[in-house]
């Protein structure tokens, strides 16, 4: 059973991927679900989610679908660095030589 089905069966809330919602009056989009609704609010960076309980009284559901915002090129590059789990600094990973100062 998917988490979306779990929320529907347990809470009676029909939830779907990319559903437009409003949390405390702010627009967002559903990017996933655990036992919570994973929402990317318009004020947050793309892909950043806030976990909200499905029955939170501040969460309003719509029947509309939206398109998630995409990461910028630099955000994708930084995410690749994080995912690589390397021990270098970000600038070293990018191949940018750091100048060492004597003194």
């Amino acid at each position: 059973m998917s988490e979306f089905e779990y929320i529907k069966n347990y809470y009676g809330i029909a939830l779907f991927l990319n559903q437009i919602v409003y949390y405390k009056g702010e627009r967002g989009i559903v990017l996933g679900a655990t036992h919570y609704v994973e929402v990317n609010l318009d004020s947050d960076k793309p892909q950043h989610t806030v976990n909200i309980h499905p029955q939170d009284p501040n969460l309003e559901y719509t029947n509309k679908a939206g398109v998630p915002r995409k990461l910028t090129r630099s955000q994708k590059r930084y995410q690749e660095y994080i995912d690589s789990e390397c021990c270098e600094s970000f600038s070293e990973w990018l191949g940018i030589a750091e100048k060492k100062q004597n003194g």
Side-chain angles (χ1 to χ4, degrees), residues 45 61 78:
K45 291 182 179 181
Y61 298 93
Y78 187 70

Side-chain angles (χ1 to χ4, degrees), residues 29 31 40-41 44-49 67-83:
I29 191 165
L31 294 185
N40 173 240
L41 298 171
D44 291 335
K45 291 182 179 181
Q47 307 290 322
H48 173 79
T49 58
V67 178
R69 294 174 292 146
K70 296 185 181 199
L71 295 173
T72 64
R73 190 171 21 178
S74 61
Q75 289 170 327
K76 284 181 189 177
R77 188 170 37 240
Y78 187 70
Q79 188 60 52
E80 289 170 4
Y81 163 70
I82 296 296
D83 293 342

Side-chain angles (χ1 to χ4, degrees), residues 48-60:
H48 173 79
T49 58
V50 177
N51 293 326
I52 306 168
H53 192 277
Q55 291 183 317
D56 187 316
N58 296 306
L59 183 60
E60 300 174 40

